[in-house]
Amino acid sequence: MPEEIKTEVVVLGAGPGGYTAAFRAADLGKQVTLVERYPSLGGVCLNVGCIPSKALLHVAKVIDEANAFASYGVTYSAPEIDIDAVRAGKQSVVERLTGGLAALCKQRKVQVIQGSGVFESANRVRVSGDKKETVVDFEHAVIAVGSSPSRIPGLPYDDPRLMDSTGALALEEIPDKLLVIGGGYIGLEMASVYHALGSEITVVEFMDQLLPGADADLVKPLAKRLGDRFADIWVKTKVVDIKPQKNGLKVSFEGENAPQGGKVFDRVLVAVGRRPNSNGFGADAIGLAMTDRGCVEVDAQMRTSVPNIFAIGDIVGDPMLAHKAVHEGKVAAEVICGEKHAFEPLAIPAVVFTDPEVAWAGLTEREAKSRGVKYGKGVFPWAASGRSLSLHRDEGLTKILFDEETHRVLGVGIVGPGAGDLIAE
Ligand code: NAD
């Protein structure tokens, strides 16, 4: 017999959106139950996403800076990399944070249930865990079930040398030759990590530039620096086939610059975007309205088509960013608790943690042009910044887009070392 419990608010998914919603609702006096399918809290971001990747990017940054220090007349010998210790260092960061979350749940008396939650009705969810089943009757629910890596159909996914972001972060080995499919956030961040650890990197990107969502002038300095370091970057190129061989994965391409006859790589990372986890939580059983892309439809208060059920984070669509999910989680919890709040962001910052970092907030020129928004632009090249030159770096740039009549700032874009810190200002 399943255990039966009653709660005021149930939250499905303990990623940054879910745990924020749970904590906020608990702080506002609600009795909260948090359901998570994995034993460790924190979702993709803490376990197999933002946090482990940032830990590894720190390793990459220190290695790269030590190398670059030669321009100041200080040289180190080549680093000795103990891959097991690097992996353990990354994992200790993850465990500290996920363990901290468990403690925060206890402090707030948020009940955590391990298992997959599936709606049976608009007031009941069934949670199937490793050891037991629980039926949770609730007044309000928050769906925060996240997203998963997209796949290119027809590739040999059972070969462990073909990795997604989770596999790449597991850092099983440092391949001699790594192919990264997709020149977006994940592709370029992980390519930077593996490059610093010693891999020869090739990137293929389907569109006509790396980071296709970002403005071309911000991407150019990054593309140049990566172009000097990586073996190849092929834009307007796609992978059509991968054949596992004894000596590696034989990859065939279609595109302007890619080699005819294909090329063999030791490992391949597929980082071609993420898709919402639309299946498996019982959307049909409660008649939830979904978009064509499989996202849950919500209004500005994060309310779904079922009035007592809310949804937040990657499952409601782009941008699939943890800090967006966190804010939406707060909004949903506050609305559930009767506060007048809505998700009305003017500018959601985005940061790509490559070197140089690329960051933007608000309107981009790409969006302004596609929406026909008129704007003025102020640009400051970091070749004139003493702070940047002192790092022996001159490729950065800051630009501000503004309304020419009112001088109101519409958007900001930055590329350069530390752009991700500067964008907050
Ligand atoms: P992305 O959308 O950033 O990049 C995917 C890239 O793959 C795009 O450039 C796309 O044009 C390309 N692509 C698609 N199909 C292809 C194909 N068949 N062949 C070659 N290229 C192809 O997605 P991602 O890098 O997978 O990251 C997923 C999500 O995770 C992002 O939406 C991002 O919001 C989030 N993320 C954020 C950060 C950060 O905030 N620093 C870091 C990592 C991931």
Side-chain angles (χ1 to χ4, degrees):
M1 279 291 284
E3 187 186 350
E4 289 185 20
I5 63 169
K6 279 193 187 344
T7 191
E8 286 177 311
V9 180
V10 68
V11 180
L12 293 193
Y19 71 69
T20 303
F23 291 173
R24 187 71 185 135
D27 287 347
L28 293 172
K30 292 283 184 194
Q31 182 201 359
V32 180
T33 302
L34 180 58
V35 176
E36 167 56 51
R37 61 178 157 160
Y38 294 121
S40 165
L41 302 179
V44 170
C45 175
L46 267 64
N47 290 284
V48 288
C50 326
I51 301 304
S53 68
K54 259 83 265 179
L56 295 178
L57 280 160
H58 176 66
V59 175
K61 182 176 177 180
V62 176
I63 295 173
D64 287 343
E65 288 196 340
N67 278 333
F69 216 21
S71 70
Y72 257 122
V74 183
T75 49
Y76 296 91
S77 47
E80 278 174 38
I81 295 168
D82 174 349
I83 190 69
D84 295 331
V86 174
R87 196 186 311 113
K90 168 210 70 163
Q91 210 51 32
S92 73
V93 177
V94 169
E95 281 161 21
R96 194 156 165 192
L97 280 166
T98 54
L101 274 182
L104 289 172
C105 286
K106 275 210 181 84
Q107 259 176 29
R108 290 177 159 86
K109 300 193 172 54
V110 169
Q111 182 180 11
V112 178
I113 303 183
Q114 191 261 316
S116 295
V118 181
F119 286 104
E120 291 188 344
S121 73
N123 290 98
R124 171 170 279 201
V125 73
R126 181 177 293 266
V127 183
S128 309
D130 294 344
K131 298 198 187 94
K132 64 168 191 178
E133 288 234 320
T134 315
V135 170
V136 184
D137 287 325
F138 61 85
E139 290 168 20
H140 288 95
V142 180
I143 302 166
V145 295
S147 64
S148 306
S150 301
R151 286 189 158 188
I152 302 172
L155 302 186
Y157 289 101
D158 48 1
D159 192 311
R161 295 170 296 183
L162 182 62
M163 309 179 288
D164 60 13
S165 50
T166 304
L169 287 165
L171 211 65
E172 274 170 20
E173 60 166 14
I174 303 170
D176 289 337
K177 288 186 169 54
L178 173 69
L179 172 70
V180 174
I181 309 177
Y185 284 76
I186 295 178
L188 296 185
E189 290 183 359
M190 290 315 298
S192 304
V193 167
Y194 275 94
H195 176 261
L197 295 176
S199 297
E200 182 189 291
I201 307 288
T202 301
V203 178
V204 281
E205 165 57 51
F206 183 66
M207 304 292 280
D208 61 358
Q209 70 165 40
L210 298 177
L211 298 173
D215 283 344
D217 55 351
L218 299 179
V219 176
K220 205 170 148 195
L222 172 66
K224 177 166 186 320
R225 196 174 165 89
L226 296 182
D228 292 344
R229 282 163 177 71
F230 294 175
D232 288 295
I233 297 175
W234 297 317
V235 295
K236 293 193 204 161
T237 303
K238 65 179 182 187
V239 166
V240 287
D241 188 39
I242 299 184
K243 287 235 168 355
Q245 298 182 164
K246 222 173 173 181
N247 64 340
L249 296 167
K250 170 98 187 280
V251 184
S252 311
F253 304 93
E254 210 175 82
E256 273 178 14
N257 309 306
Q260 298 298 315
K263 203 176 159 183
V264 177
F265 297 88
D266 300 297
R267 284 191 175 238
V268 174
L269 163 62
V270 181
V272 294
R274 299 185 64 85
R275 60 191 157 78
N277 291 332
S278 349
N279 298 321
F281 68 88
D284 290 347
I286 50 173
L288 213 55
M290 310 284 281
T291 69
D292 297 345
R293 277 194 58 214
C295 297
V296 177
E297 276 182 28
V298 286
D299 64 14
Q301 292 193 305
M302 312 315 299
R303 195 188 300 269
T304 69
S305 58
V306 182
N308 64 323
I309 299 183
F310 293 68
I312 59 168
D314 289 5
I315 191 69
V316 305
D318 288 328
M320 292 190 179
L321 296 172
H323 50 281
K324 185 210 71 158
V326 164
H327 192 68
E328 289 176 338
K330 257 188 100 203
V331 169
E334 290 173 6
V335 172
I336 287 170
C337 295
E339 293 191 8
K340 289 195 172 130
H341 201 168
F343 183 69
E344 293 171 323
L346 286 175
I348 302 175
V351 179
V352 190
F353 289 90
T354 41
D355 181 24
E357 293 176 353
V358 183
W360 63 94
L363 192 71
T364 63
E365 285 191 76
R366 196 172 280 278
E367 281 164 357
K369 281 174 189 148
S370 77
R371 280 165 35 195
V373 178
K374 278 173 75 180
Y375 62 93
K377 174 161 90 161
V379 180
F380 180 78
W382 290 15
S385 158
R387 177 73 183 94
S388 187
L389 291 180
S390 69
L391 306 173
H392 282 186
R393 299 287 292 267
D394 64 1
E395 78 274 29
L397 117 88
T398 302
K399 69 172 176 184
I400 297 187
L401 309 183
F402 56 91
D403 181 314
E404 280 184 304
E405 269 173 37
T406 62
H407 286 191
R408 181 176 179 174
V409 175
L410 302 173
V412 176
I414 310 179
V415 55
D421 298 315
L422 288 170
I423 196 70
E425 179 153 348

